[in-house]
Amino acid sequence: MSAHHPAAPRVLVVRNSPRSGPGRLLPWLREEGLTAVEAEGAEAVDDPAGYAAVVLLGGGFLPDDDTRHPWLPAERLLARRAVDQGVPLLGICLGAQVLAAAHGGTVLGSHGTPERGSCRITLRPEAAADPLLDGLPPVFPAIQNHRDQITELPPGAVHLAQSAPCPVQAFRLGEAAWGVQFHPEVGADRLAHWSEAALGADGLDLARLRSHAEESEPDSARAARQLVANFGVLARERRGGA
């Protein structure tokens, strides 16, 4: 009789924008023994039942822009149910803002100084015992591409990381839900697809941003890979417990 091998734990990956894909998350999740199930925002379920974990990706709009992006109420409900059920959730950029907004936080559009390219993230003391950020250096580079910010965390959220232009770079809500404003799924190669004209209008030089991102890529990739490995542990533990 052949041995029974249970199916790999499934991770729901919600894509909010065609240009904000999962990038290197997909191969890394596979290396962690997980199966990524991709869904466009409009097609995603509003309940995490059947999944060991959830990832909410980015997008160039606000988390309550329901008129132009009518799936957002369901995504906020998905975020609330994941927290209520203890299903590990990772919200990235817009996904982090969805998680915050779904639980009473505040997100402001075009607030503060936009962050583009490779930026320094600093862990706060509260991150010392955090399971998602375990093993990351106190300061690490990560790709950023946003002009909107979480300006007030939800009640009970734990503030985990910050940068000078954007104080809320990472937070935890409940036991197993995280939001990160930076992009662990994106490497320096993504900048090759950015608009030189659009960046120039903001006074930024794409060639300089690309050069800096490429210099920072080894440290950026190492930190991002550790974060995904930690998330993989959480998803497998959830699958085992379930």
Side-chain angles (χ1 to χ4, degrees):
M1 177 180 290
S2 62
H4 173 66
H5 298 285
R10 300 193 309 157
V11 178
L12 175 62
V13 179
V14 179
R15 185 170 184 159
N16 287 296
S17 169
R19 299 183 63 184
S20 299
R24 56 192 180 188
L25 275 185
L26 296 184
W28 287 353
L29 289 173
R30 284 195 296 270
E31 290 173 6
E32 294 303 317
L34 304 170
T35 296
V37 179
E38 295 183 76
E40 300 296 326
E43 301 168 356
V45 296
D46 62 8
D47 193 298
Y51 293 98
V54 175
V55 176
L56 307 178
L57 296 173
F61 44 89
L62 289 167
D64 59 355
D65 190 1
D66 299 353
T67 301
R68 287 183 292 183
H69 308 282
W71 66 86
L72 285 171
E75 189 166 327
R76 294 195 297 271
L77 180 57
L78 172 64
R80 288 194 293 272
R81 285 173 167 166
V83 172
D84 291 344
Q85 298 173 27
V87 177
L89 181 146
L90 175 60
I92 297 172
C93 196
L94 170 64
Q97 297 168 6
V98 167
L99 176 63
H103 291 87
T106 302
V107 181
L108 295 183
S110 299
H111 179 83
T113 303
E115 290 183 297
R116 311 291 190 199
S118 182
C119 305
R120 289 163 58 89
I121 310 298
T122 301
L123 297 183
R124 292 167 55 89
E126 295 90 335
D130 184 77
L132 183 72
L133 302 178
D134 183 48
L136 272 70
V139 181
F140 60 92
I143 298 297
Q144 302 261 25
N145 189 19
H146 73 98
R147 62 172 63 250
D148 307 329
Q149 290 191 25
I150 299 166
T151 57
E152 184 176 350
L153 284 168
V158 180
H159 191 182
L160 299 171
Q162 60 193 26
S163 72
C166 179
V168 179
Q169 286 291 341
F171 67 95
R172 184 180 69 247
L173 197 57
E175 294 297 319
W178 288 266
V180 297
Q181 186 61 61
F182 56 91
H183 286 274
E185 85 284 14
V186 170
D189 57 339
R190 181 72 69 87
L191 275 68
H193 305 287
W194 288 10
S195 168
E196 186 172 8
L199 289 165
D202 287 338
L204 299 171
D205 180 77
L206 178 57
R208 185 174 298 176
L209 291 178
R210 290 184 65 179
S211 176
H212 179 55
E214 288 162 4
E215 288 177 12
S216 305
E217 178 62 13
D219 291 337
S220 178
R222 195 158 37 244
R225 185 66 186 86
Q226 182 63 54
L227 185 152
V228 175
N230 293 342
F231 191 67
V233 170
L234 294 161
R236 294 195 301 272
E237 288 177 346
R238 166 68 184 183
R239 166 65 178 269

